Amino acid sequence: LRVNDTPNAVLFSNDTICATAAPLDLNTKVNGLLTYPKIGIGYWESTQSLVKIADSAIFTPFSQGLPSNFEGPYTCSYHLIDSNGCEDIEDYTLTIRNQPNVSITNLNPANACENTPFLIHVFSQYCDQQLEWKTLNHFDGSACDGIWTQQSNSENILYTHGKNDLSKKRAQLSVTTRPILSDVCPAAKDSIAIILNPNPILSNLTDQSGCLPLITFWSVDELNNLNSNQVTYSWELGLGKKSNLQTPGKVNYDLPGKFNIRVIATNDSGNCADTSLSQVIQIPFV
């Protein structure tokens, strides 16, 4: 009776790989120094339907798109058969780290108004919402997080431009996912350009009063020297009267009372606006 020695396959420690990593040659997980015999037939397989092993050893990383940062572990079995047909089977487990993702959801480039903080919205996955924001190039603005009290490391931030931004009429920021503990995936990154549009600046309106019937004249000056083609006006003149002209001109008031006057000038680039208010006091004739 001849008893043959049993093969002994020794594998390295179980591993975690990124879902977007290149295909893994599982044979690199076999400890060739300790495995016996040196010459034998070795191949890999898995009983788990999600695991695909090509050419008896090539594992392709994958993701089911689950909400967790990690998926698995998945088990791959290594079979080592010696020349006598004796076999050793060892299990090796792989955990999949889902690839972090971050995406700025604002229009890009975005239109913002000068001297007005701008809210940037972000969607992120597989990073526990831990992000790092940076200003790019010449830009010198500042960002704060969702409670608006500190430098941001959160998804949605409020960005306030700096002097250099204002002189260039433009700002640019990048956002990068921060690695979690023992991360094996590369960081994800996105960026946004912000075009800073000037606000209209309106002259003050003068209150008007008089006896019934009262004839008034309304006009407003835009003091920031914006192109007239890019500024729209919206007047509320009381008694249901409205106008979209910079100078509505004469307006008659034939009822007694107090009427609130408001004009809004809007820069069509960036929807930046300024408002001027006034009153009409109509005194009935006695």
Side-chain angles (χ1 to χ4, degrees):
L1 178 65
R2 181 175 180 177
V3 178
N4 297 308
D5 192 10
T6 302
N8 181 35
V10 179
L11 306 181
F12 291 113
S13 299
N14 299 326
D15 203 358
T16 298
I17 61 174
C18 186
T20 56
L24 173 67
D25 185 352
L26 291 171
N27 287 331
T28 62
K29 303 303 179 180
V30 179
N31 189 330
L33 294 177
L34 300 181
T35 295
Y36 175 85
K38 304 299 182 185
I39 300 176
I41 300 174
Y43 69 93
W44 292 83
E45 67 175 3
S46 177
T47 59
Q48 294 174 285
S49 60
L50 293 173
V51 177
K52 307 299 181 185
I53 299 176
D55 299 327
S56 301
I58 306 303
F59 173 85
T60 300
F62 63 93
S63 172
Q64 299 183 68
L66 302 178
S68 56
N69 292 334
F70 296 90
E71 297 182 15
Y74 300 102
T75 300
C76 301
S77 298
Y78 181 62
H79 297 250
L80 179 62
I81 304 173
D82 66 13
S83 59
N84 297 309
C86 298
E87 182 179 21
D88 182 26
I89 302 175
E90 301 291 339
D91 287 340
Y92 187 82
T93 60
L94 285 166
T95 300
I96 303 296
R97 162 72 166 114
N98 278 319
Q99 171 63 49
N101 174 51
V102 62
S103 177
I104 297 173
T105 59
N106 300 69
L107 290 176
N108 194 2
N111 281 300
C113 301
E114 293 178 351
N115 305 312
T116 304
F118 181 69
L119 184 60
I120 304 176
H121 297 276
V122 165
F123 171 76
S124 65
Q125 286 180 299
Y126 309 128
C127 62
D128 297 334
Q129 298 181 340
Q130 293 300 303
L131 307 171
E132 181 178 2
W133 288 88
K134 291 183 178 179
T135 54
L136 303 179
N137 301 325
H138 61 272
F139 309 112
D140 61 345
S142 61
C144 54
D145 66 9
I147 57 176
W148 320 138
T149 58
Q150 59 187 7
Q151 186 70 19
S152 174
N153 61 353
S154 61
E155 282 191 323
N156 303 320
I157 66 162
L158 197 65
Y159 181 73
T160 302
H161 67 71
K163 291 182 179 180
N164 287 337
D165 298 329
L166 191 59
S167 66
K168 299 292 185 179
K169 304 296 183 184
R170 186 178 177 89
Q172 189 174 9
L173 294 89
S174 69
V175 59
T176 306
T177 58
R178 291 184 170 183
I180 63 175
L181 183 65
S182 302
D183 213 334
V184 295
C185 285
K189 185 176 182 179
D190 199 5
S191 63
I192 184 172
I194 304 171
I195 299 171
L196 299 174
N197 297 283
N199 291 291
I201 300 175
L202 294 181
S203 60
N204 294 325
L205 298 178
T206 302
D207 292 346
Q208 300 192 45
S209 63
C211 296
L212 187 72
L214 178 63
I215 300 175
T216 62
F217 185 89
W218 296 103
S219 181
V220 70
D221 294 325
E222 198 286 302
L223 305 178
N224 206 18
N225 298 318
L226 300 185
N227 190 318
S228 59
N229 293 329
Q230 71 184 81
V231 180
T232 57
Y233 296 87
S234 176
W235 288 84
E236 294 180 5
L237 295 161
L239 294 175
K241 299 178 181 182
K242 299 178 183 293
S243 176
N244 293 324
L245 302 175
Q246 183 176 357
T247 302
K250 290 183 179 181
V251 178
N252 297 333
Y253 296 88
D254 52 10
L255 293 175
K258 180 186 294 185
F259 307 100
N260 294 320
I261 310 301
R262 181 177 70 175
V263 58
I264 301 173
T266 303
N267 182 352
D268 295 333
S269 299
N271 199 32
C272 307
D274 189 26
T275 301
S276 192
L277 304 173
S278 183
Q279 283 188 335
V280 169
I281 300 176
Q282 175 77 316
I283 304 172
F285 181 77
V286 179

